[in-house]
Amino acid sequence: MIGERRITGMTLALLLAGCSLFRGAPQEGPAPAPAPRAPIETSAAERFVQQQRLRAEQSEADARWAEAAWSWEVLSALRPDDAAVAARLDAVRLRISRLRAQHAAEALAAEQRRDFDAARRAWLQVLALDPHDETAAPALRELELARSVRSRLGRFVRVPAPSRSVRAPARSNPPATPALEARPEAGNAADRRQ
Amino acid sequence: MRLHALRWWRQARLRARGARTGADALVFPAGPGAIASASPAAGAVLIAAVLGLSACTTIHPPVQAPIHAPIHPPAQAPAGPPGTSAEDRSSTPTEWPAIAGADGRVLGRGARVLVYLPAPGDRLDAIAERFLGSADEGWQIAEANDIGSVQAGQALAVPLRPANPLGVRADALQLVPILCYHRVGGANSRMSVGVSAFEQQMAWLVDNGYRVIRLADLGEFIAGRKPLPRRSVVLTFDDGYASFHRYAYPVLQKYGLPATVFVYTDFVGARDALTWKQLAELQRSGLVDIQSHARSHRNLVDAPAGETAERYLAYLDGELRGSREQIERRLPSSSVRHLAYPFGDADARVAERARMQGYELGATVVPGGNAFYAAPMMLRRTMIFGHLDLEAFKARLQFEQPLTRP
């Protein structure tokens, strides 16, 4: 009998120890009664659902399709059995797929007619629709590389130097990119040409 | 030469693709199960904990199935575009790593996202560490939810795969500016930024949501391997002036901001230059990365008059390899892979030669930010001059470019 009580007591102690271990923080004195969590979680989940739905609908209205798809996907994670959410997600994805094909075709056509700025804009639209598109990113990198090779990027920032001869600088007085001192207000003009 | 450059880029692209595929498999630390087999005593403690856990969970009856779905690690990230609807489901039910004190709840999950209700006092970095494997990734949760910090009772979408790894949105393209300083304090020159102005600039970055990242992180971003926070910025200091150690370094330490110092090795130890001892100290700090500004600061683009092509290439190699090898020899813990071209001047031939000498990133002084598709050996940098006030400084932080939509 005494042995059974001892075992029961030890089991109870283990249960309580397990509970405090899980909570992590050491507690002193009697543990407070746990607050009912389910209502809190329900209200938080419902509030989150409303926010995400608003966000998804606003993104659709603004034609920010990737963001809309993301919001519907988040909702779908929370409500996997909600047919309406799944339908909205599928509709947005279908739209993305069509627009993506359209912009990719525009980009390829622009490349063919050597209108590289238009090609760049179209590829960026592809990525804006589908940030994980595997065609657009390499195409944009190649366009940029070709442009940098064409323009010999890095050269044109320099003021045509009065003397282009190569000379070693004095050890104590390095020529700290002096050409730029002559035109500090160049600012981000080069970027506006992107 | 152009063909060479394009071929090199294609190879880099293939390498990046390979690495990206590997990076998709998220790695998580071992779960509690790893502890269980440690010893019989530990096993007993674990049994107690499990019993306690089951007792605790019985206190909270499930509201509905998805809310109390088992807590799972993310499934391997799907490779396809978001149009593949099957990717939202299916995963291997394994426990997330337990974190002492973590008491939030996973309310639902898909393959690319989970919805999490933080515990009181939960922080973004702790949540990121738990679900994304690194506290440094908290910004991804912040950006996905458009928040600055965790609010009590506010559920969060946690992106298990970067939602926008290349920073292209419908209305804007993410850019990462690299700021180029020379001297800080100690000289009355346009190339010298005053100490108080420098501290003001750094404080402004920190106070206004900018993330100062390492140049290597930018390299990962443009290789497609690592997303970056929207307002990322890189700090670089050219030449290797002693004033960096005296004035700039303490400010960077104060705010915990990483930076790269590009030294040209012929200058090290000169009158107002950093010494090798100081460079070693900076390198050891973990905050400052020492990289190459070539050997003599001669313009690499200019071939000496009457020089043969062969001798010019040998000269380039000497400048590029010589500085790299000297830095790595004098600072054994360093790995020199980044180059700031002297005068910021480079062409395709110089860039290709630098790449052949082991450099992975090359910085010019073409102003502006860098998009994900920037050419790695032709990075843009924005000069910060001594005469710029704070408003002019802000105007130079180009972290996005508006996109016009059709």
Side-chain angles (χ1 to χ4, degrees):
Chain A
M1 190 65 181
I2 293 172
E4 280 177 13
R5 277 184 190 166
R6 190 173 290 167
I7 289 168
T8 308
M10 284 174 68
T11 307
L12 189 62
L14 281 171
L15 283 171
L16 290 172
C19 213
S20 62
L21 269 177
F22 179 67
R23 299 258 172 211
Q27 296 176 359
E28 287 181 7
R37 295 182 55 116
I40 296 171
E41 289 174 7
T42 307
S43 64
E46 286 308 322
R47 204 163 46 246
F48 184 79
V49 164
Q50 287 170 15
Q51 288 169 352
Q52 286 297 318
R53 189 180 291 277
L54 276 177
R55 183 183 282 197
E57 288 169 350
Q58 187 59 53
S59 297
E60 283 190 29
D62 296 343
R64 287 181 280 114
W65 300 109
E67 291 169 45
W70 167 256
S71 293
W72 288 120
E73 194 173 332
V74 171
L75 280 171
S76 180
L78 197 57
R79 298 278 185 266
D81 301 323
D82 189 328
V85 168
R88 294 292 291 265
L89 177 58
D90 287 346
V92 170
R93 283 174 169 170
L94 185 63
R95 182 118 193 188
I96 286 175
S97 180
R98 286 180 184 157
L99 286 170
R100 187 219 164 275
Q102 179 188 322
H103 289 305
E106 288 168 5
L108 292 170
E111 282 183 5
Q112 280 199 332
R113 64 175 187 272
R114 301 183 67 77
D115 184 350
F116 299 122
D117 283 342
R120 178 180 158 277
R121 284 194 299 272
W123 283 127
L124 283 171
Q125 288 303 321
V126 170
L127 276 177
L129 288 163
D130 178 3
H132 298 277
D133 185 273
E134 291 190 344
T135 312
L140 281 161
R141 289 188 176 114
E142 289 199 8
L143 285 171
E144 176 67 8
L145 184 67
R147 181 171 67 171
S148 74
V149 170
R150 272 199 312 276
S151 64
R152 299 176 72 192
L153 186 62
R155 274 294 272 223
F156 69 90
V157 293
R158 299 191 72 208
V159 174
S163 167
R164 303 283 290 180
S165 62
V166 176
R167 56 192 158 72
R171 272 170 63 87
S172 61
N173 187 25
T177 322
L180 281 165
E181 287 192 89
R183 40 181 301 186
E185 300 307 326
N188 290 337
D191 291 295
R192 287 194 285 273
R193 289 196 291 270
Q194 278 191 95
Chain B
M1 185 54 66
R2 184 179 170 184
L3 280 175
H4 269 297
L6 285 171
R7 193 175 304 134
W8 155 67
W9 181 255
R10 287 198 182 96
Q11 287 168 354
R13 204 181 76 201
L14 286 172
R15 283 198 298 275
R17 274 185 184 168
R20 192 163 53 239
T21 309
D24 280 344
L26 298 176
V27 177
F28 289 85
I35 307 167
S37 59
S39 69
V45 171
L46 186 71
I47 290 165
V50 169
L51 284 171
L53 176 62
S54 58
C56 290
T57 49
T58 55
I59 298 169
H60 317 298
V63 175
Q64 56 179 282
I67 286 182
H68 283 276
I71 303 174
H72 296 166
Q76 180 145 349
T84 50
S85 57
E87 71 196 22
D88 292 340
R89 294 156 182 94
S90 85
S91 67
T92 308
T94 313
E95 291 287 310
W96 288 104
I99 291 182
D103 199 17
R105 295 282 180 187
V106 174
L107 304 181
R109 69 171 304 280
R112 304 196 311 171
V113 62
L114 66 77
V115 181
Y116 179 71
L117 180 61
D122 227 341
R123 294 195 324 268
L124 283 172
D125 54 357
I127 298 169
E129 185 168 18
R130 184 176 187 193
F131 295 115
L132 306 181
S134 167
D136 293 339
E137 302 300 318
W139 66 269
Q140 292 203 46
I141 303 171
E143 288 194 1
N145 296 275
D146 202 17
I147 57 169
S149 59
V150 176
Q151 303 295 320
Q154 180 187 42
L156 299 172
V158 179
L160 301 177
R161 183 188 186 198
N164 194 349
L166 304 176
V168 186
R169 301 193 310 279
D171 53 359
L173 169 67
Q174 180 181 3
L175 301 176
V176 181
I178 306 175
L179 305 186
C180 176
Y181 292 87
H182 284 77
R183 290 176 190 260
V184 175
N188 186 18
S189 152
R190 272 184 150 169
M191 304 303 285
S192 177
V193 175
V195 180
S196 59
F198 179 71
E199 171 144 18
Q200 189 184 29
Q201 291 166 6
M202 297 302 106
W204 190 86
L205 291 176
V206 170
D207 293 343
N208 288 275
Y210 281 84
R211 295 292 190 98
V212 177
I213 60 164
R214 295 174 190 278
L215 186 55
D217 290 333
L218 175 59
E220 294 293 291
F221 174 64
I222 61 181
R225 290 192 289 262
K226 179 181 176 127
L228 290 178
R230 197 170 290 170
R231 291 185 177 215
S232 292
V233 60
V234 178
L235 303 177
T236 66
F237 297 79
D238 278 10
D239 298 334
Y241 287 101
S243 68
F244 175 84
H245 186 272
R246 197 175 311 131
Y247 300 117
Y249 180 47
V251 176
L252 297 175
Q253 281 183 305
K254 176 180 173 182
Y255 293 105
L257 305 178
T260 295
V261 174
F262 288 110
V263 296
Y264 68 97
T265 46
D266 282 1
F267 184 48
V268 178
R271 184 167 51 85
D272 53 354
L274 290 161
T275 63
W276 286 112
K277 188 178 171 188
Q278 287 172 322
L279 289 169
E281 178 196 340
L282 295 170
Q283 183 79 22
R284 276 196 307 273
S285 73
L287 209 57
V288 181
D289 199 18
I290 310 299
Q291 297 288 327
S292 171
H293 198 25
R295 190 171 61 195
S296 70
H297 208 290
R298 287 159 65 171
N299 191 310
L300 301 177
V301 171
D302 286 329
E307 196 73 282
T308 64
E310 194 174 294
R311 284 176 58 117
Y312 171 61
L313 291 180
Y315 149 74
L316 280 185
D317 288 348
E319 285 283 334
L320 298 167
R321 188 180 59 236
S323 62
R324 178 171 56 75
E325 288 180 348
Q326 191 174 5
I327 295 169
E328 289 179 345
R329 189 169 60 249
R330 299 298 295 261
L331 308 172
S333 64
S334 65
S335 173
V336 178
R337 296 289 177 269
H338 307 157
L339 170 70
Y341 301 106
F343 303 94
D345 217 352
D347 58 15
R349 181 170 50 179
V350 170
E352 173 65 8
R353 212 66 193 176
R355 190 195 62 78
M356 288 169 64
Q357 289 297 339
Y359 291 97
E360 295 167 358
L361 299 176
T364 69
V365 287
V366 177
N370 295 280
F372 78 89
Y373 53 73
M377 296 306 296
M378 288 288 190
L379 296 178
R380 295 165 183 267
R381 281 196 303 170
T382 300
M383 296 286 293
I384 302 300
F385 296 102
H387 69 276
L388 299 179
D389 63 15
L390 189 60
E391 290 306 311
F393 172 78
K394 293 180 202 173
R396 290 183 167 241
L397 295 167
Q398 192 181 17
F399 64 90
E400 68 180 18
Q401 181 185 7
L403 292 182
T404 51
R405 291 197 276 176

